[in-house]
Structures are given as C-alpha cells and as structure tokens.
Amino acid sequence: SSGINAEYGVPNIAEAVKMLERGVASAPDIDTAMKLGAGHPMGPLQLADYVGLDTCLFILEGWSQKYPDVEIFQVPEMLKRLVAEGKLGNKSGEGFYKH
C-alpha cells in the first residue's frame, strides 16, 4: 500500500539527508550505495527529487508533530532550507540534483 511505502520510504529519505548534512558522503555516493548495496532502483535522494521535496517535507512534518519523540521522523534542516529556496526536485528543476 502507498501508506506503507511512504512510512518506510520517507524516513529513509530523511536519514539520507541527515547523512548528507553531516558530510558522511555526497548525494551521488549515498544514492549509489543504496542502489548497489540494497538493490533499490533509485537512491533515496533521487527518490526525494522524484517525489518532490515539498511532499517529503509535508509528510515528515505531519509525522514529527504526531510522534515528536521519534527521531527518525525529525525533519532535517537541509530539507526545510531547500524547500524554502524553491528547490523542490524534478518539478522545479533542482533539488538534491539539477534536472
């Protein structure tokens, strides 16, 4: 179901953004690791750009309000900043990648 996919996928996107914020790896490296290592058809940051960063933010904000003590639902600052800058992913031409 789409609800299960969103509840599993969006927190994984958030964790990938947090890794990017911490400088653990670049966006292409994170996405490549998940494609090759986990067999995902696209990486989490590519998926975020595809879905829309504003949509990811909306979902995470809802869960963060509902479950304020659950760390995986906390909204990464980088995601908030990109959306505020109008960088929404594929639909705006830029997100974690330029399209």
Side-chain angles (χ1 to χ4, degrees):
S1 118
S2 62
I4 292 170
N5 289 333
E7 191 158 347
Y8 174 78
V10 174
N12 287 322
I13 289 169
E15 288 304 307
V17 176
K18 292 172 191 174
M19 289 176 63
L20 190 60
E21 285 178 329
R22 292 191 308 268
V24 172
S26 68
D29 288 344
I30 292 167
D31 284 336
T32 298
M34 292 308 295
K35 289 189 286 188
L36 297 178
H40 292 189
M42 69 174 62
L45 301 172
Q46 291 169 316
L47 181 59
D49 273 5
Y50 179 78
V51 170
L53 302 190
D54 53 336
T55 302
C56 294
L57 178 62
F58 177 80
I59 292 167
L60 279 170
E61 285 178 335
W63 287 337
S64 181
Q65 289 172 5
K66 187 171 182 177
Y67 306 106
D69 299 327
V70 179
E71 177 63 30
I72 200 164
F73 292 143
Q74 298 308 305
V75 182
E77 290 301 318
M78 180 181 281
L79 182 59
K80 292 178 190 177
R81 187 181 76 248
L82 289 170
V83 171
E85 293 172 358
K87 296 176 181 175
L88 309 178
N90 293 8
K91 60 179 130 184
S92 70
E94 185 175 357
F96 293 105
Y97 296 92
K98 289 192 179 191
H99 303 278

